[in-house]
Each structure stands twice: as C-alpha cells, then as structure tokens.
Amino acid sequence: MSNLKMKEAALIYLDRSGGLQKFIDNCKSYSDSKQSYAVYRFSILVNPSDIIELDAELGNHILHQPLKAAQVFQSINILLKLTHLPPLPSYSLDLCEFPLDYTSQRFYMMQGIVIAMTTVTKYTQGARFLCSDEACPLSKGFQYIRVHVPGATESATIRNDFLCNLCSSSLQEDRKFRVLGDKQIVEIITTKALRAFQGYSNNQPFRFQSLTVFLRDELVNEMNIGNEYKIIGIPTCVKTSQTALCIEANSITFFNPKVPSGISDNFRCLLSLTSSSYWKFTAILANIFASQIVPPGTYNLLKLCLLMSLVQTSDRNKELEDCLDLLIITSDILLVDRLLNFSINLVPRGIRHPVSTEIFPTLSRNKYGTGAVSIQGGSALLAKGGICFIGDLASHKKDKLEQLQSAVESRSITVYISGKKFGDDMDQQMTFPVQCSFWSFVDMDSSSRRNVQKTNTLIGQMDCSLIPANLIEAFGLLINCNESSPCHPLLPTVQHTLKKAIDPEGLLYVASKQFTTEDFEKLLAFAKNLNVEFSLEAERMIHGYYLASRRIRTDSICGSKLSASALKYLVSLSEAHARLNLRNKVLKEDVLIAALLFETSLTLKYGAAVLCVAPNAVFPFELYNEEYLEQRDIYLTQCQQQLQQFIATYGPGTAIFASDE
C-alpha cells in the first residue's frame, strides 16, 4: 500500500472519528496564541479496532510501527494515543517473562502496581536549530527541528554536536523556540510479586524487579502509588550509568478487578440453614475459620475481628474510609503471628511488612539523572485497599511509632522534600492517602520480663504502659488473647500443634474439608463488594450508644476518652458484621456486635464503666452444636435489651445530658 493511500485512509478515519475537527480546533488555538512555537504538538485518539476495520494495513502499521505510522498523519509532531490493543498474547508484555522484547519498537500492554514515583520535571518536546554560519541559507527558517520520540533521552533531542547538512558547520539551538513538557517516572511491579510480601512462598526462592515507566505531558500525575494499572506503551532501552529496560507510556487505565458473582455451595447452604438468626452465620464462620492454623472453637473473638477487618477491604478505586485497625495483646505471639499471616493471604492486598524496609514513603535520588526526587511507596501505600500487617509493635522504633500514630489518626502521610538536599530551588511537600487497615500485636511476656507492669486500679483494664497511650487510642480495636482469656483454651491448641507436626499437610477437621481456604477467599471477595446502608433503628442505636458512652467516660480534667473517630469505628464494625452476614442493610443486631466489641476494647483501655460487658460477651459459650448457638442467641438478645436500656438512661434526650451535648 502506497504512502498516499495510507494518508487517505488516515484522513477518512480522522473525519469519521471526530479527530479531524479536534485537529482543526487545536490549530485555531495555536493560531490565536501570541507565543511562537518551533513545534506544534497534536494528540490524536486512535481506536485500533475501528481503524483496522477501515483499513487493515494502516491498522497493522500503527500497531507494529507506531513511530513511522505517526508520519502518515502529518509531517509535524503528532502523538497517536491508543484506546486499547487487540486481546492477543503477542500484544501482552508479561513482567515475569524473560527475555522482554524491547527491540521491536511497537506497542505492548502490561499490567502492574505502582511502587515508586518521582516528582514532576521538565523535558524538551521540541527545539529549533540554526546553522552557525550566517552566510549559510539554513541559518534562518525552520529547517532543523528536533522533536522527542519514545525512548529518547534528553541528550538525543538537545546536543551541541549536530552539523549542518549543507555546509557542515555546527548547529546552534534557538532557545526562544524550545518547547518544554512535563515528565514523571514511575516504577511498577507485577501483581504476582506481591507474594513476596505475604509471608508464604512455598519454600521456593524467587526474585522480582520493578519496571520503569516514563509518563509525559497529559499522563503526568495520572498514576498513584499503590494503584494497579493497565499500561499501553513502547519498550525501549535507556542508557544512563547502566542500561535499563523502560516503557514509554502511551495510555493508562485503572485496573478494576471483576466482582465475584457468588459464594461456594457449602457456604450458601450454611447461610440458608442459619437464616432464622442474625448471629449464627458469623459465629460459625469465626468458629471454623483458619482451622489449618488453630483448632475450631479457639480464638473465636480474634477470628471474628479478623474476618470483619478483611471484609472492610476493597479492590475498587474508591476512598477506603471504613478501615478496621486491630491491636492484639497476647502471650503466644507465634500462634497469633501465624493466624494473622494466614489471614492476610485471603485478600489481594494483604501485605506483611518486611522488617528491613519502611512502612511509609521514603526519598532517594532518581537513578536516571533527571534531577527529580524518587518517592518509594513503603508497605502502607503498597497495601492500598487491603491490610498492612506490621508485626510486633516492640520491633519498631519510637519515631516510627509516632509516624504510625499520625497516619492512623489522619489516614494520610506527608512527605517533605528538601530543596537544598535534592538540588531544587524550593522545598516541596506531598501528601498521600493511607487507605489500608493496620494489624499488629504486643507480646505480654516481653512486657513482664521488663518488670515495668503497674498495678491496675480499674476493673478490666490491661497494663499497656509499654505502648504509647495515643497509639493505643488510634487503633480501633484492642483485643486480649492470652492463656487466661476465654478465647485461648490451651489443650486443643497443644493437640492441634502436635498433629500438625506429624502431618503438616493433613486436614485435621471436618470443617477444613467442607469449607476450604478457597471458599473463604471467595466469600470475602463477594462480601467486601456489597454496598450496605443503615436502617433507621440501627442508625439511632449507634448514635445513641456513642453519645451515651462518651458521656459516661468523661471527666472534668481530661474530658471525654472517646474521640470523634470512635463513631467511625462503630459504623465500620456494624457495616463489617452486616457484610459478613452477606446483607445489604445494617440492622440493630449488627450494631449490638459492634457495641460489644467496642465496649470490650474500651474496658481493656480504660477499665469497666456503667455498661459492664463481660470479656467473652460475643462468644459466651463454646460452640459445639445447635443448642449452644441457640443459647448464644438468647444471651445476645438479653445484651441487646441491656444496651437499649443503657441508651435510654444515658443517651440523647435523657436528663443526664447537658444541653451542649
């Protein structure tokens, strides 16, 4: 096909797609501008499917020779922006495969998670050069125009060793015609690399390497650390201090995973059998959860809280405001560590923070010598929409704990960039949202060895003197798991450990065979995507409980011990219990579980109050059979009546409330 026919096909496509009118409008804007340009840059949106249907040869030219194809549309600086690529294996670039094809200079589609990004800097889109010999005819006009092409470095566009084709004199740049654009560099990793942060690698060593992506002009600031994207771009080899494979991005789309359509048949049957009760389904879930790690019936309170925190995660591109942070006080850190590590593997963004790395963003110099500052995301931003398990709090230094407290309270982290340190004219600061739930634990035995325990003066209060008080307050739930607590029967755990030592891969319980790990993954994936709303009576109950608790836990010296964030945690807990029940509406029965969990946490922090809740209020009986589930329902119904009486006595509208509250 001749070049002329290709240009005709390109003109027809532009006319049909509306690109020609946009091209004309851009020309008018350039014409109306008072600024002189050496290069006029135009961006044309191209749908490969449409253009292949119109002219297969032109479509093939665009997909496989994009740099030459741009010249078909014009002789000026045109950038072809692709909407998508054909869904064929040859157009996909798998970051796990080697070798990567970087010599063909054509479009590929790749997918990855952003782990680092630089600040925005300038690059040269185009420049005008003139012959240095004034007698030469090419010392005037626009004969020597250099424009940026994908994969080119700044030195390829702007250099001082260009020669005139006519007289061989050196060329000099006419700086007043230089056109600048914005540039940003990001680093992505494949989703498969996340298993390096999830604690389980099947005892097989592996490594992963990030891939550098160049964003230019309208694509700058379109990617955020922690998000997953589909990127269409051209692979290229960039030579700086070392040779590196990079991608020149052409278009970017946010990756939204498919929402699961349902749950397993066994869970569907269980849900049907327990439909007469508001609490049985979640009780059984907690009872049988993680039977590969702990025997059924143990750690039920902790397992329920873990499941509720997991259903509050999100794979979608939305603000994660309903985080459920968990802080566990335990004397068996090995078992709790295994249980938490097992749990984070059930969601796509469950990240176990490596001790050798940073939780929050850090700064470094960009390795490509662009003068930009590289911001490394850290575990918290990598866990966006999921869980960041940071291990034992005692393993973190004081300054890191203060940073953690600030991030949990404000749900954001601010990075300060010193202009003096990184060679910039002025200081900068960038704020990143922290959209994950934090899990951590504290070793009780470690506390006792340090002989710093104090005598508790309040009933039910835990000695948490080793943990900063503000950090304890920042965590939504404080959970007690030790030998003396009802959630830790010792004998079944010992038997389980011995059996696992004999048969590590064996399924020891019937529940493990009926409800597999994959079933729980599917259940959580479905539940967390449910859109829930509050019923009127649930909304009244949650506000009534919050105001009543705030009132009774207020003193004249320190004020209220309940912060404004307490209401958010109560709402999040109620939503989580409704989601775990696979309901779209939050009922007062969900608020009851939220209130019992929250009041238990408050008792551990500050001691018992008027609403005296037992440590095992959520699981007052060991769940052996249907009879015990019925007894639990009766007990929880009594608790609900007590909660309503508590709200009626101390809540809004009662005489004990001051007018300002």
Side-chain angles (χ1 to χ4, degrees):
M1 186 177 184
S2 67
N3 194 43
L4 180 60
K5 289 186 177 180
M6 277 195 183
K7 288 187 176 183
E8 290 177 358
L11 185 60
I12 294 172
Y13 172 76
L14 287 175
D15 187 35
R16 291 182 179 179
S17 64
L20 188 59
Q21 184 59 48
K22 183 183 177 184
F23 186 84
I24 294 171
D25 294 340
N26 289 341
C27 288
K28 288 181 180 178
S29 65
Y30 279 124
S31 178
D32 296 339
S33 175
K34 296 180 180 180
Q35 185 176 350
S36 298
Y37 293 91
V39 178
Y40 294 95
R41 182 177 180 272
F42 299 90
S43 179
I44 296 177
L45 194 65
V46 175
N47 187 317
S49 300
D50 292 344
I51 207 163
I52 288 174
E53 187 175 341
L54 173 68
D55 192 294
E57 192 167 346
L58 177 60
N60 183 69
H61 202 54
I62 291 172
L63 290 174
H64 297 94
Q65 294 179 306
L67 301 183
K68 292 182 179 179
Q71 299 173 6
V72 174
F73 285 78
Q74 45 58 56
S75 58
I76 50 178
N77 189 18
I78 285 283
L79 186 64
L80 301 180
K81 290 285 186 180
L82 269 62
T83 57
H84 66 279
L85 286 178
L88 300 172
S90 59
Y91 292 97
S92 179
L93 192 68
D94 191 337
L95 303 185
C96 295
E97 290 185 355
F98 183 84
L100 299 177
D101 178 18
Y102 59 89
T103 59
S104 59
Q105 288 275 293
R106 70 174 180 85
F107 288 117
Y108 285 93
M109 195 283 291
M110 63 225 70
Q111 186 172 321
I113 299 168
V114 179
I115 62 169
M117 62 191 300
T118 66
T119 52
V120 178
T121 56
K122 295 294 183 181
Y123 81 102
T124 303
Q125 283 184 359
R128 175 196 186 194
F129 285 84
L130 299 173
C131 182
S132 58
D133 186 354
E134 295 183 359
C136 179
L138 301 184
S139 62
K140 298 178 182 179
F142 293 86
Q143 300 299 321
Y144 293 114
I145 301 297
R146 295 192 65 81
V147 296
H148 171 81
V149 294
T153 59
E154 186 73 6
S155 61
T157 309
I158 302 295
R159 289 209 311 266
N160 57 9
D161 59 350
F162 296 129
L163 299 178
C164 177
N165 293 332
L166 187 62
C167 66
S168 297
S169 300
S170 62
L171 297 182
Q172 294 178 344
E173 182 193 357
D174 188 354
R175 291 182 178 272
K176 66 178 179 289
F177 283 96
R178 182 184 290 191
V179 180
L180 299 178
D182 293 329
K183 177 180 67 176
Q184 189 177 32
I185 302 173
V186 304
E187 293 181 35
I188 64 172
I189 59 171
T190 177
T191 310
K192 297 176 184 177
L194 287 182
R195 63 194 180 104
F197 300 94
Q198 292 182 323
Y200 288 114
S201 60
N202 296 324
N203 297 320
Q204 295 189 7
F206 66 95
R207 67 184 296 272
F208 68 90
Q209 185 174 346
S210 64
L211 182 68
T212 302
V213 180
F214 282 82
L215 307 179
R216 300 186 189 272
D217 304 307
E218 61 273 2
L219 295 182
V220 163
N221 290 327
E222 287 296 308
M223 301 178 80
N224 296 314
I225 296 177
N227 282 349
E228 186 173 358
Y229 298 91
K230 287 186 175 181
I231 304 165
I232 296 176
I234 300 175
T236 184
C237 209
V238 175
K239 296 180 180 180
T240 53
S241 58
Q242 59 182 7
T243 302
L245 175 65
C246 304
I247 300 294
E248 183 93 13
N250 179 270
S251 66
I252 299 166
T253 54
F254 182 85
F255 174 71
N256 270 322
K258 294 181 180 178
V259 178
S261 57
I263 58 177
S264 68
D265 292 338
N266 286 337
F267 272 131
R268 191 178 291 108
C269 180
L270 179 63
L271 183 65
S272 176
L273 292 173
T274 57
S275 59
S276 60
S277 168
Y278 297 106
W279 300 300
K280 286 181 181 179
F281 184 68
T282 53
I284 296 174
L285 287 182
N287 190 65
I288 63 177
F289 178 60
S291 58
Q292 299 89 334
I293 309 299
V294 293
T298 59
Y299 288 95
N300 280 354
L301 179 64
L302 174 58
K303 291 191 291 185
L304 177 64
C305 293
L306 293 176
L307 287 169
M308 291 171 68
S309 183
L310 288 170
V311 296
Q312 290 300 90
T313 60
S314 173
D315 299 332
R316 319 299 290 177
N317 187 22
K318 65 178 184 178
E319 297 293 325
L320 187 66
E321 299 176 349
D322 305 319
C323 303
L324 269 181
D325 305 309
L326 305 179
L327 180 59
I328 302 149
I329 309 294
T330 181
S331 56
D332 192 345
I333 61 171
L334 180 61
L335 208 56
V336 169
D337 182 87
R338 288 175 179 171
L339 184 55
L340 268 60
N341 204 86
F342 171 83
S343 301
I344 63 172
N345 281 270
L346 299 179
V347 291
R349 290 297 185 93
I351 301 297
R352 183 188 178 105
H353 168 66
V355 180
S356 58
T357 62
E358 297 291 336
I359 302 177
F360 298 107
T362 55
L363 303 177
S364 62
R365 293 187 181 276
N366 176 244
K367 63 183 179 181
Y368 292 96
T370 60
V373 179
S374 180
I375 304 164
Q376 304 293 323
S379 299
L381 298 191
L382 191 59
K384 183 175 182 179
I387 306 293
C388 183
F389 174 30
I390 60 175
D392 191 348
L393 273 187
S395 63
H396 301 283
K397 296 182 180 179
K398 182 180 178 182
D399 60 329
K400 301 301 179 185
L401 294 180
E402 291 174 352
Q403 199 176 23
L404 174 64
Q405 176 195 328
S406 173
V408 172
E409 289 176 345
S410 64
R411 288 294 158 190
S412 64
I413 188 73
T414 301
V415 177
Y416 295 93
I417 304 172
S418 171
K420 183 178 180 181
K421 180 178 179 181
F422 292 100
D424 203 351
D425 296 333
M426 56 187 295
D427 296 342
Q428 300 181 57
Q429 71 177 42
M430 298 179 69
T431 300
F432 299 92
V434 177
Q435 298 175 320
C436 68
S437 297
F438 291 97
W439 291 357
S440 186
F441 59 81
V442 177
D443 186 2
M444 286 291 292
D445 287 347
S446 175
S447 303
S448 63
R449 283 197 299 268
R450 297 181 188 181
N451 297 319
V452 292
Q453 287 186 324
K454 62 181 181 179
T455 304
N456 292 331
T457 56
L458 298 175
I459 298 174
Q461 186 178 18
M462 287 282 298
D463 174 27
C464 302
S465 54
L466 285 180
I467 314 168
N470 291 336
L471 184 58
I472 295 177
E473 177 60 32
F475 274 87
L477 280 183
L478 186 64
I479 304 168
N480 179 26
C481 284
N482 59 32
E483 273 85 2
S484 61
S485 68
C487 69
H488 190 158
L490 195 56
L491 185 57
T493 305
V494 173
Q495 292 174 339
H496 174 90
T497 305
L498 291 173
K499 289 178 181 178
K500 273 292 182 181
I502 297 171
D503 185 9
E505 302 299 326
L507 298 176
L508 306 182
Y509 312 100
V510 176
S512 304
K513 301 174 183 177
Q514 289 182 331
F515 304 99
T516 64
T517 303
E518 290 73 21
D519 290 341
F520 271 99
E521 286 183 15
K522 197 172 181 180
L523 174 74
L524 292 171
F526 179 77
K528 69 183 180 182
N529 284 292
L530 292 174
N531 293 318
V532 296
E533 59 181 15
F534 274 80
S535 64
L536 184 59
E537 58 182 2
E539 195 171 326
R540 287 176 177 171
M541 180 178 284
I542 204 168
H543 281 90
Y545 167 71
Y546 169 73
L547 292 173
S549 296
R550 187 174 174 85
R551 180 62 176 172
I552 65 171
R553 292 187 182 274
T554 300
D555 57 55
S556 57
I557 300 175
C558 301
S560 177
K561 294 178 180 177
L562 262 72
S563 63
S565 61
L567 183 59
K568 285 185 178 181
Y569 282 117
L570 285 166
V571 170
S572 186
L573 284 166
S574 303
E575 288 180 348
H577 193 263
R579 283 194 174 102
L580 205 55
N581 271 295
L582 307 181
R583 289 197 303 266
N584 293 102
K585 181 159 286 190
V586 179
L587 307 176
K588 62 181 181 179
E589 288 77 11
D590 300 311
V591 177
L592 171 67
I593 298 297
L596 291 177
L597 291 172
F598 195 74
E599 191 66 28
T600 302
S601 177
L602 289 178
T603 303
L604 293 173
K605 294 176 182 178
Y606 310 115
V610 176
L611 182 62
C612 192
V613 173
N616 61 338
V618 178
F619 290 97
F621 310 104
E622 295 181 6
L623 305 180
Y624 290 123
N625 53 35
E626 178 69 20
E627 180 184 351
Y628 288 94
L629 285 171
E630 291 292 343
Q631 291 181 10
R632 179 176 180 266
D633 276 11
I634 295 171
Y635 176 82
L636 290 177
T637 303
Q638 295 172 351
C639 289
Q640 191 164 21
Q641 294 171 354
Q642 294 174 6
L643 178 61
Q644 290 171 334
Q645 183 61 45
F646 170 71
I647 295 171
T649 306
Y650 298 98
T654 57
I656 196 170
F657 263 79
S659 59
D660 61 338
E661 292 191 84

